[in-house]
Amino acid sequence: MNAPYDGDRAQGAGGQTPSQGTAPGTPVPGQVPAPGSAPDHDPYVQDAYAYDPYRAQDLSAQDPVAEVMYDRASHPPPPPGTYQEAAPLYAAPQAPSHGPDPRVWAQTPPPEPDGPSRHLPYGDHATTTQFVGVDSLVTGAAEDPPEPDAFAHLYRDQQAAPRTPVEEAPVAAPAPTKPAGRASSLLKSSALMAAGTIVSRLTGFARTLVIAGAIGVAVLNDSYQVANTLPTMIYVLVGGGALNAVFIPQLVRAMKNDDDGGEAYANRLLTLVVVLLGAVTTVCVLAAPLLIGMMSQDIADNPERLDVAVAFARYCLPTMFFMGVHVVLGQILNARGRFGAMMWTPVLNNIVVIATFGAFIWAFGGFTSTGMTEGSITPEGVRLLGIGTLLGLVVQSLAMLPYLRDAGFKPRLRFDWKGHGLGKAAGLAKWTFFFVLVNQLGLIVVTQLATTAGSLAGTQGHGGTGITAYNYALLLWQMPQAIITVSVMTAVLPRISRSAHDGDAAAVRDDISYGLRTSAVAIVPCAFAFLALGVPMATLLYAGSGADDARNIGFVLMAFGLGLIPYSVQYVVLRGFYAYEDTRTPFFNTVIVAAVNAGASTIAFFVLPARWAVVGMAAAYGLGYAVGVGVAWRRLKNRLGGDLDGAHVMRTYTRLIGACVPAAVVAGGVAYGVTQWLGSGVVGSLAALVAGTIALGAVFLIAAKRMRIEELNSMVGMVRGRLGR
């Protein structure tokens, strides 16, 4: 059946044409309907499709290029829950409360509804998730935040009110993305501290080389090591741990909350350290014989060794005072964003000590020619070495003053300690004191056992098997930790403290995860490098003290090797507790570490021969931290709500270890072959170390690339980008 066609049917009986855009059967406003019911609008009339709902729009405002380049990240689509309900088929649509403005190309999205209404994948939260565009991903590593648009004033005419008198609810501005300058500043601070630490460690190695060349690595150096270790132990016990763990977070809060930027609090803290360490130093200098006996009964039982050790101690013990002054001034600078001074000033200390022991060699001769012992060293020689050791710390601490003046801080003595937060910090510090006490008790046990083992092995003709070998290997072993982990976490710690103070557990978790994964890229390969190349490292560095003694130090370094991984992890995890001012949990964790270390060291002392006892103690050191990491990780995970990004961290460490195992096997084989060919002298050790390092690095990079280790690939890409600029 054909539909009727009549061009005049659209006018109806009354001859009135309905307005465009009016639904059929809807009366036209302002008109009186004709008598009788007009027939409904016939959908088959010729103008049925003439209605254009967009005729009122300004077609010139539509731009197809803008539609293609629409930035979904800057203007995401409205989430589910904000769409209008479906209307009847022929009902007039309601005016949207957030209608599009034809004069603006990229429309502002409507506000989010109350409560989360969007279900996002991977467990992301709807109210905190941000859209990130391609431009942000590509330029996210920029050093400076983007500059404002210089041509924004040309489009001010587009900021006028819309033509339609529709009242729009205020739309909240989208949360700003994290500025790239924050990450860039963190990387710059870490790089500056890492550079200072590298130079400090290198000069520190030169210092140990000169000391070994002057007094060897056997019994005489054991006495010097015991005397030089005492001030560090006592300083850390009295206030060093509390300064780093408790007072520095308090200092950050004072800078944030106090009107003077925390300057008064910093001066009170400096005064407290000066008074406390001054009194402790005086008492310790008077009690030097008792302290030497506490550290080593073997030295105390030998009057000749005791006299030399006590003389060394009375020159070395005052260094704890200047050590504390240096640390508190450095932490004041760190809290103000000046990270370089604390890492670079120890270089001056090393230079002074190198010059001192160099003068000793010039005046008395080297150890290989003199065979210096406690009985042959003169009082003038002891005085020269003691004064030089003390002078190094004095120069190191006083060198901080120009940096403080440049930062605008004026050191002043302030004794108004009451009512300014120092009491609260002292209350928190009691657990840190117990923490350090337990740690130092474990060190005392190791020192007692190592000096005894070294003395017994020395009578059998095996030098380099006592506390000197232990300390020298420990110094070399801790270098990656000091360069990478400490530098990264020193820059991150103020940020973690602020996040913990604001109750942002997610930010604390992210920073802890970042510190673990970033440091692991260097820590894990270095641990396997010590295991594979420990002997050529030691024979190269300490060849001046004798090939056999240096080789024994290398065996100790190999035993330390893999313990570097849990040692670094423990350091990072404990920063999370300190950020929450929780010093009790680290104390109990350290009790476990010290107990395992002391117990395993005691077993090694009684089970192994005297020559290998210190090697077993070095392995026990890493074992203690491996046990401690398991306990600390579980407790921090519970503290942060059951999530410590463990899967991500574990995946990174597992892949790194998997890439390092074949690399260490190949490197060890190459180094052994070279030493068999060229010998264990300086030339052979250097060649073995270079060849082994190249082999280890090549195999590791190939394996890591196949395993797609994200952190390593990011680091390599960043280095390539930097070199390509």
Side-chain angles (χ1 to χ4, degrees):
M1 175 180 180
N2 295 329
Y5 177 79
D6 186 358
D8 296 331
R9 286 184 64 179
Q11 298 180 3
Q16 297 175 352
T17 303
S19 300
Q20 287 184 348
T22 306
T26 304
V28 180
Q31 295 184 359
V32 179
S37 298
D40 291 339
H41 182 71
D42 191 342
Y44 295 101
V45 296
Q46 66 179 13
D47 60 346
Y49 300 100
Y51 167 64
D52 183 5
Y54 300 103
R55 185 171 297 171
Q57 303 284 348
D58 184 5
L59 297 179
S60 63
Q62 300 178 4
D63 187 353
V65 178
E67 180 65 21
V68 174
M69 301 296 294
Y70 181 76
D71 189 357
R72 186 180 180 88
S74 301
H75 307 284
T82 59
Y83 298 110
Q84 298 179 359
E85 298 293 336
L89 182 60
Y90 292 106
Q94 298 180 356
S97 58
H98 300 280
D101 188 351
R103 295 165 300 171
V104 182
W105 292 357
Q107 306 296 333
T108 302
E112 290 276 358
D114 294 336
S117 64
R118 183 187 305 160
H119 298 284
L120 300 178
Y122 310 110
D124 293 336
H125 198 275
T127 59
T128 59
T129 301
Q130 299 179 3
F131 288 88
V132 180
V134 176
D135 289 343
S136 299
L137 293 176
V138 174
T139 63
E143 296 186 358
D144 298 319
E147 296 292 337
D149 187 3
F151 302 97
H153 64 282
L154 300 177
Y155 305 96
R156 288 176 183 169
D157 56 331
Q158 296 186 9
Q159 305 301 323
R163 295 171 186 166
T164 53
V166 179
E167 228 178 71
E168 294 189 1
V171 180
T177 59
K178 182 189 291 187
R182 182 181 182 185
S184 176
S185 176
L186 180 60
L187 291 175
K188 288 180 179 178
S189 300
S190 300
L192 178 63
M193 290 185 294
T197 305
I198 290 173
V199 176
S200 176
R201 292 289 173 168
L202 291 177
T203 54
F205 285 133
R207 165 180 172 164
T208 60
L209 294 178
V210 176
I211 293 176
I215 58 177
V217 293
V219 180
L220 177 59
N221 203 339
D222 285 354
S223 300
Y224 177 79
Q225 291 296 320
V226 169
N228 199 27
T229 303
L230 262 176
T232 303
M233 291 181 57
I234 298 173
Y235 158 72
V236 174
L237 178 63
V238 172
L243 277 176
N244 291 313
V246 178
F247 287 97
I248 299 310
Q250 293 287 340
L251 182 60
V252 172
R253 287 167 176 76
M255 288 184 59
K256 180 179 179 181
N257 300 326
D258 294 355
D259 296 334
D260 62 347
E263 182 171 346
Y265 184 91
N267 278 317
R268 294 186 187 98
L269 178 60
L270 177 62
T271 306
L272 178 63
V273 169
V274 168
V275 172
L276 179 62
L277 289 181
V280 172
T281 300
T282 303
V283 173
C284 290
V285 169
L286 297 176
L290 297 176
L291 296 175
I292 293 295
M294 177 192 68
M295 292 293 295
S296 175
Q297 189 62 39
D298 185 74
I299 295 177
D301 293 339
N302 189 330
E304 193 174 61
R305 295 187 66 187
L306 179 62
D307 291 340
V308 174
V310 170
F312 278 136
R314 283 181 170 154
Y315 287 110
C316 294
L317 281 169
T319 60
M320 78 173 73
F321 175 83
F322 298 99
M323 196 181 303
V325 172
H326 173 264
V327 169
V328 69
L329 295 180
Q331 295 291 8
I332 291 172
L333 288 172
N334 287 350
R336 284 163 169 74
R338 308 291 183 90
F339 298 98
M342 195 172 183
M343 298 298 178
W344 282 92
T345 48
V347 176
L348 301 176
N349 177 23
N350 293 331
I351 292 174
V352 172
V353 175
I354 289 172
T356 299
F357 280 84
F360 182 89
I361 295 175
W362 177 79
F364 299 96
F367 178 78
T368 55
S369 61
T370 62
M372 192 79 67
T373 63
E374 290 92 341
S376 59
I377 189 171
T378 63
E380 292 78 13
V382 174
R383 189 179 305 115
L384 173 62
L385 300 181
I387 292 176
T389 303
L390 175 59
L391 183 61
L393 262 298
V394 174
V395 173
Q396 175 179 319
S397 60
L398 295 181
M400 302 293 292
L401 297 179
Y403 292 96
L404 288 171
R405 184 168 56 252
D406 183 64
F409 178 80
K410 297 179 179 179
R412 297 175 182 175
L413 296 179
R414 298 195 58 157
F415 296 91
D416 52 336
W417 301 334
K418 187 175 182 180
H420 293 284
L422 291 176
K424 176 186 176 182
L428 295 171
K430 67 180 181 180
W431 290 108
T432 305
F433 171 79
F434 293 137
F435 167 93
V436 177
L437 177 61
V438 172
N439 203 14
Q440 299 307 313
L441 288 176
L443 181 57
I444 290 174
V445 171
V446 173
T447 304
Q448 288 275 7
L449 298 175
T451 52
T452 303
S455 180
L456 293 174
T459 60
Q460 301 171 4
H462 301 292
T465 54
I467 190 63
T468 299
Y470 187 92
N471 288 341
Y472 279 13
L474 184 66
L475 179 66
L476 181 60
W477 176 74
Q478 289 177 335
M479 183 177 180
Q481 162 81 2
I483 293 175
I484 303 298
T485 309
V486 174
S487 298
V488 170
M489 295 310 298
T490 301
V492 173
L493 183 57
R495 197 172 76 184
I496 295 179
S497 300
R498 285 190 290 268
S499 299
H501 180 68
D502 297 337
D504 191 352
V508 175
R509 177 204 62 202
D510 293 342
D511 285 332
I512 294 293
S513 175
Y514 167 81
L516 288 170
R517 292 180 288 105
T518 303
S519 60
V521 175
I523 292 296
V524 176
C526 287
F528 281 88
F530 288 136
L531 178 63
L533 306 173
V535 172
M537 286 182 190
T539 53
L540 175 63
L541 292 173
Y542 303 109
S545 60
D548 293 336
D549 295 355
R551 187 179 298 107
N552 291 332
I553 297 177
F555 293 143
V556 178
L557 181 59
M558 291 179 64
F560 271 117
L562 296 183
L564 183 64
I565 299 174
Y567 179 71
S568 176
V569 174
Q570 172 92 339
Y571 181 89
V572 176
V573 171
L574 291 187
R575 302 309 105 180
F577 294 108
Y578 292 144
Y580 284 101
E581 300 181 351
D582 180 5
T583 55
R584 183 175 180 179
T585 302
F587 161 69
F588 288 112
N589 188 261
T590 303
V591 170
I592 297 173
V593 174
V596 173
N597 183 22
S601 297
T602 304
I603 294 174
F605 177 79
F606 287 105
V607 172
L608 299 176
R611 178 183 178 183
W612 302 105
V614 175
V615 175
M617 296 176 195
Y621 193 83
L623 176 63
Y625 278 98
V627 175
V629 164
V631 178
W633 182 276
R634 184 173 63 255
R635 292 184 177 180
L636 184 60
K637 179 180 178 180
N638 296 333
R639 180 65 183 267
L640 297 180
D643 184 13
L644 200 54
D645 202 17
H648 195 182
V649 173
M650 188 60 64
R651 182 168 60 251
T652 300
Y653 275 84
T654 302
R655 292 181 177 180
L656 286 171
I657 292 173
C660 286
V661 169
V665 172
V666 174
V670 170
Y672 180 77
V674 172
T675 53
Q676 291 297 311
W677 177 35
L678 299 177
S680 300
V682 175
V683 176
S685 299
L686 178 60
L689 184 59
V690 172
T693 302
I694 293 175
L696 187 144
V699 176
F700 170 73
L701 289 177
I702 293 173
K705 183 178 181 180
R706 292 186 176 276
M707 292 183 180
R708 299 180 180 179
I709 301 176
E710 176 185 352
E711 290 75 15
L712 182 62
N713 293 336
S714 299
M715 179 177 293
V716 172
M718 181 183 67
V719 172
R720 286 180 176 176
R722 294 289 182 182
L723 295 178
R725 289 183 178 180

